Amino acid sequence: MASVLVVLVLAAASLVKKAKASPTGPPGPDGRQCVQLEVPVTVNTKAIHWLQKKVDSTVDAVDWVDDMTTWTSPNTTSRILGQITVNETFKISGQLCVPAKGSRSDILQLATHGVGFDKRYWDVEIKSSQYSYVDAALAEGYSIFTYDRIGTGSSSKPDAYDVVSTGVQVEVLRQLTTLARSGKLVSSSKKVGGASNLSNYKPAKIVQVGHSLGSVIIIGLLSDDGASSDGAILTGFLYNSQIGSASVGPWGFEFAKENDPKKFGDRRSGYIVQATKSNTQLVFLKKGTFEPALLDYAWQIRQPGSVGEFISLATVLGHPAPAFKGPVQFFIGEKDYGFCGGDCNNTYDVTALKKLYPASSALSVHLQPGTGHGLTLSTNATEGYKVIFDFLHESKL
Ligand SMILES: *[C@@H]1O[C@H](CO)[C@@H](O)[C@H](O)[C@H]1NC(C)=O
Ligand SMILES: *[C@@H]1O[C@H](CO)[C@@H](O)[C@H](O)[C@H]1NC(C)=O
Ligand SMILES: *[C@@H]1O[C@H](CO)[C@@H](O)[C@H](O)[C@H]1NC(C)=O
Ligand SMILES: *[C@@H]1O[C@H](CO)[C@@H](O)[C@H](O)[C@H]1NC(C)=O
Ligand SMILES: *[C@@H]1O[C@H](CO)[C@@H](O)[C@H](O)[C@H]1NC(C)=O
């Protein structure tokens, strides 16, 4: 019965969503003007070739977790076998939304989601006025671009071992940022739906917004190319004393194709997904700050990750970003299980953070009370978004 209700709620929600972005002409009834794009992104870069086990079944996936977490296994450094060249054009599925009446529409928020989701993480369809970050950003007057990272959603799903890795995804974000800044994001893409008159949209400023691995990717971009971005909101991530306890264990990984052949039939070797709804709760939500329907939703929209992105997660961390001059905010659930070992209070050092961003105009850390890792899926999400927007406004963004 409960699952029937969920299906109904989801069906109703998707109808509401469809009404928002009418194909004939923007803006939708709520002033939302969005265009859905297929952006070609060409990457020509070096990637690390890793020593790790192949995953072609759920038995393999569990064995991969075993190998990654066994204390006598090779550490990350000694798993580096060499480098490969990645010279590929990926198809990136993205959505650009520009507010109909936007006082800040020339500021583009470029949002990069984390593992376990695709771009829907930013645009929750259940009670969207309480949860959708896209809606909140538009209401605040910002434009926003969300996209499926490679390996997820409707974007390309390349080799999961070395290609779908942190370093390559930094390159993808760099290309998307350059394209957006040039004003050619829409004109150089294939339009697959939505508003028709955003073709000339050219932002004056770009604020990177990330969640979890998405924040890690932004951290990589800022240290490589700090001038690329005017601000950074790093959610679901914090350098802190408990970060070493982050583990692939709680996900209970299974081979994606075996976990759900219907949903993940196109996931090849090396794509893994959390096994159950309970794993989704442990990784993303904290009892007391989520509604059951949102846990159901998080489970329903789950997306596999690649073994390569887990093994390469830390490769871009810890490097300073001397050329980044904008404001940077670390925004994390107080009870984040993965990155703070379940409690972020008293785990971090703002002085140490400032050393990584020596030219940054403002740096802040916000712990969202009582909340787990999945910030957009947690109660009080909207009050959290206000904290983000207020921080940006203080820096005239
Ligand atoms: C990783 O393992 C290698 C080989 O055992 C060792 O030399 C190195 O110090 C280790 N690195 C770290 C960061 O623990
Ligand atoms: C990258 O790939 C393109 C198209 O396949 C090819 O034309 C080009 O020469 C390649 N570049 C390098 C540096 O390998
Ligand atoms: C798109 O068209 C709508 C209605 O015709 C208009 O209100 C809006 O300002 C236009 N947006 C852009 C970016 O030109
Ligand atoms: C965080 O820790 C401080 C000092 O240990 C304590 O006073 C404060 O109440 C804690 N905050 C929360 C939200 O638990
Ligand atoms: C909701 O979030 C805001 C912003 O972080 C915070 O000030 C407030 O205390 C939160 N409310 C609850 C009930 O946690």
Side-chain angles (χ1 to χ4, degrees):
M1 188 61 197
S3 67
V4 172
L5 281 177
V6 170
V7 169
L8 287 176
V9 168
L10 291 174
S14 73
L15 283 177
V16 169
K17 196 59 116 196
K18 280 196 190 94
K20 282 183 171 178
S22 110
T24 50
D30 56 354
R32 184 174 161 131
Q33 318 176 83
C34 301
V35 60
Q36 286 84 44
L37 304 170
E38 239 176 64
V39 191
V41 171
T42 300
V43 157
N44 192 347
T45 189
K46 298 263 187 254
I48 298 168
H49 177 43
W50 296 99
L51 169 69
Q52 62 179 324
K53 297 207 164 188
K54 291 284 173 220
V55 177
D56 291 302
S57 68
T58 286
V59 168
D60 288 350
V62 175
D63 193 50
W64 177 86
V65 171
D66 181 310
D67 180 55
M68 289 286 285
T69 52
T70 292
W71 70 276
T72 46
S73 288
N75 60 33
T76 308
T77 314
S78 38
R79 285 178 185 271
I80 298 176
L81 295 177
Q83 284 194 323
I84 58 159
T85 297
V86 179
N87 176 19
E88 278 187 59
T89 299
F90 302 121
K91 183 184 88 182
I92 300 295
S93 168
Q95 171 171 275
L96 173 68
C97 297
V98 174
K101 280 193 237 117
S103 48
R104 302 183 179 91
S105 62
D106 63 338
I107 301 173
L108 179 68
Q109 296 204 10
L110 206 172
T112 303
H113 66 84
V115 179
F117 295 101
D118 56 25
K119 61 176 164 330
R120 286 174 288 181
Y121 172 80
W122 301 110
D123 206 5
V124 173
E125 293 152 298
I126 293 179
K127 300 191 188 173
S128 53
S129 63
Q130 284 176 46
Y131 293 102
S132 168
Y133 184 80
V134 169
D135 281 351
L138 289 170
E140 197 69 12
Y142 293 102
S143 299
I144 181 164
F145 180 71
T146 54
Y147 70 100
D148 295 339
R149 285 188 297 95
I150 50 170
T152 75
S154 303
S155 291
S156 299
K157 300 180 183 75
D159 163 75
Y161 294 95
D162 299 332
V163 176
V164 183
S165 59
T166 308
V168 172
Q169 300 196 66
V170 169
E171 282 308 311
V172 172
L173 179 59
R174 188 203 308 273
Q175 302 293 338
L176 288 172
T177 303
T178 305
L179 199 56
R181 216 179 259 290
S182 74
K184 297 197 176 106
L185 182 62
V186 177
S187 61
S188 61
S189 303
K190 184 175 155 197
K191 217 185 97 183
V192 294
S196 56
N197 68 348
L198 303 179
S199 331
N200 297 322
Y201 177 72
K202 187 170 191 263
K205 302 236 165 107
I206 295 183
V207 173
Q208 306 286 353
V209 184
H211 175 242
S212 196
L213 173 62
S215 296
V216 172
I217 291 166
I218 294 168
I219 284 170
L221 178 65
L222 297 184
S223 56
D224 273 14
D225 187 0
S228 63
S229 311
D230 300 288
I233 302 295
L234 306 172
T235 79
F237 180 82
L238 180 63
Y239 288 107
N240 70 90
S241 60
Q242 298 306 313
I243 201 164
S245 69
S247 167
V248 292
W251 297 76
F253 280 125
E254 295 186 348
F255 185 44
K257 211 172 183 168
E258 210 172 300
N259 175 274
D260 192 330
K262 233 167 126 183
K263 265 196 167 100
F264 308 132
D266 63 346
R267 277 11 181 245
R268 295 184 283 161
S269 182
Y271 281 97
I272 51 179
V273 72
Q274 65 266 37
T276 66
K277 202 163 83 173
S278 307
N279 295 113
T280 301
Q281 179 186 333
L282 184 57
V283 174
F284 292 108
L285 297 167
K286 178 72 183 171
K287 186 178 174 185
T289 54
F290 74 86
E291 300 185 70
L294 273 290
L295 173 58
D296 290 340
Y297 179 72
W299 171 241
Q300 195 244 338
I301 67 163
R302 73 193 181 280
Q303 285 288 303
S306 76
V307 293
E309 55 200 5
F310 283 99
I311 206 164
S312 64
L313 189 83
T315 51
V316 302
L317 294 177
H319 307 294
F324 175 67
K325 298 204 174 79
V328 55
Q329 181 176 57
F330 291 86
F331 183 106
I332 190 165
E334 183 199 7
K335 301 296 183 190
D336 190 293
Y337 187 71
F339 281 119
C340 292
D343 190 351
C344 297
N345 195 18
N346 296 317
T347 64
Y348 60 95
D349 175 356
V350 173
T351 312
L353 290 173
K354 285 187 173 156
K355 286 194 180 131
L356 292 172
Y357 298 95
S360 164
S361 60
L363 183 145
S364 89
V365 177
H366 177 76
L367 305 187
Q368 184 61 4
T371 297
H373 188 57
L375 296 152
T376 64
L377 301 152
S378 300
T379 53
N380 203 28
T382 322
E383 289 301 308
Y385 303 158
K386 285 189 190 148
V387 172
I388 292 172
F389 300 148
D390 285 347
F391 174 73
L392 291 174
H393 299 342
E394 279 169 27
S395 295
K396 308 256 183 297
L397 286 171

